[in-house]
Amino acid sequence: MANRAVPERTDAVKLFQGEKWLLLTGVLGLILAGICAVWVMLYGGPVSPDGDVSKAASFNAALGIFLISTAAIAPLSGMGRRSLAIFRWTYIILGLYGYFTETIQNFRGLNPRFTEGGTVLDSYISLLFVIDALLLVLVYAWFAVPFFSSKAAGKRPLLVLAARYAIMATMLSFAAGIWLSVNQGRFTGAEGNIIWLHGIGFHALQAIPLTAWLGERAALSDTARRSFVRWTGIAYILGLLFIGWQTYLGQAVFEWSLLPVLGALSFLAALLPVFMLLRSILMANHHVMEG
């Protein structure tokens, strides 16, 4: 009987290794989101004249999850210790500014991005918020480059491959964020909503590495593992492109037309390897227990 492939060793580089402070910054976002959510349940979201605490809740949660996901893959980046430290603390500072500007300004009744009717200081805070968002994109692009080096691939190659696809999807989300800022709002055309493309893209940082993480634990060949990760990555990016094009046309992503249907099928296809790998792992464990 041919020997079956064994799961990869995963003790070379740990997820989150050395990234306690970036991880805690992400957790802070979830705590702030929870506080805002409680406020919304008790008092409602809108705050006169232009604030909305519910938007602060969603922003803090989204940024928190993004920072936690980034902290998870950062040790795999291939960056040197000094460069990684610069990235880490820059992102912590940018993240903290984003949290507190979004939260405080909305509680004060001001739109943190497009402030109207506030003081001169509020106008500067709004300008810095836009700069903060732009720096988040630029610094992440710098962080992304080493993932495509051979140095990164030598650590945990399957997770690094997943990170590469996830980063490409993230860049599409960042592009949507820039589009949203230039558009000065989330709505475009008759029914288009840029926020869906902006938000869904960032979840590639959880969905695609999850496939790799399961792949490391499955008794499959290296070729099969990499195929699953590529399958998830390509399908997820295709889903983003379909809903992005639908949004560009000014149409809603939740309607029965060609592009949204193709997008939904692509995201479902991206999840399929997760279920297949889980089934493989559970079956292998069942056989071990029976043996």
Side-chain angles (χ1 to χ4, degrees):
M1 182 182 293
N3 292 329
R4 299 187 67 187
V6 297
E8 290 185 353
R9 285 175 59 102
T10 59
D11 57 350
V13 180
K14 302 292 186 183
L15 297 177
F16 299 105
Q17 184 175 314
E19 297 301 331
K20 178 179 74 172
W21 293 109
L22 186 58
L23 172 61
L24 289 176
T25 305
V27 172
L28 175 61
L30 299 183
I31 293 171
L32 290 171
I35 293 170
C36 292
V38 171
W39 177 277
V40 171
M41 287 188 291
L42 293 175
Y43 306 108
V47 179
S48 180
D50 295 316
D52 190 338
V53 179
S54 65
K55 291 182 179 179
S58 60
F59 175 89
N60 290 333
L63 181 55
I65 293 170
F66 172 64
L67 292 179
I68 290 170
S69 302
T70 298
I73 65 171
L76 308 171
S77 67
M79 275 185 159
R81 182 176 299 178
R82 183 177 179 182
S83 295
L84 193 54
I86 292 172
F87 168 77
R88 177 189 310 122
W89 290 105
T90 300
Y91 239 63
I92 287 172
I93 292 168
L94 293 173
L96 290 174
Y97 185 83
Y99 287 151
F100 292 113
T101 300
E102 181 78 24
T103 304
I104 292 171
Q105 294 298 82
N106 273 299
F107 268 105
R108 293 180 62 223
L110 298 173
N111 184 328
R113 294 166 185 79
F114 313 112
T115 300
E116 296 180 3
T119 65
V120 174
L121 177 60
D122 291 320
S123 297
Y124 281 115
I125 290 172
S126 178
L127 176 61
L128 286 174
F129 192 76
V130 174
I131 295 172
D132 184 85
L134 181 59
L135 287 174
L136 283 170
V137 177
L138 295 176
V139 175
Y140 209 85
W142 173 60
F143 167 71
V145 171
F147 275 98
F148 295 86
S149 69
S150 57
K151 183 179 178 182
K155 294 183 176 180
R156 284 174 74 170
L158 202 64
L159 267 171
V160 171
L161 177 63
R164 290 170 178 172
Y165 281 105
I167 286 168
M168 287 188 280
T170 298
M171 290 303 162
L172 290 175
S173 279
F174 277 134
I178 294 171
W179 179 14
L180 193 150
S181 295
V182 172
N183 192 60
Q184 295 195 346
R186 64 178 63 187
F187 300 107
T188 181
E191 299 180 30
N193 190 340
I194 305 168
I195 202 69
W196 290 110
L197 175 62
H198 183 55
I200 293 172
F202 286 124
H203 288 298
L205 285 169
Q206 297 94 49
I208 305 174
L210 175 60
T211 301
W213 185 82
L214 291 170
E216 287 182 334
R217 286 151 179 79
L220 300 171
S221 68
D222 288 340
T223 300
R225 292 169 178 149
R226 294 175 71 86
S227 295
F228 277 129
V229 172
R230 289 195 178 99
W231 179 352
T232 298
I234 292 171
Y236 204 100
I237 291 171
L238 282 174
L240 292 175
L241 292 175
F242 286 133
I243 66 171
W245 188 253
Q246 177 76 355
T247 304
Y248 176 76
L249 296 175
Q251 300 301 315
V253 299
F254 296 105
E255 67 175 30
W256 288 104
S257 60
L258 179 62
L259 290 173
V261 169
L262 289 175
L265 291 175
S266 296
F267 290 126
L268 288 173
L271 290 175
L272 186 58
V274 172
F275 295 109
M276 295 174 70
L277 288 167
L278 279 172
R279 180 176 179 273
S280 175
I281 293 169
L282 291 173
M283 288 182 65
N285 289 339
H286 179 70
H287 290 316
V288 168
M289 291 176 66
E290 285 188 339

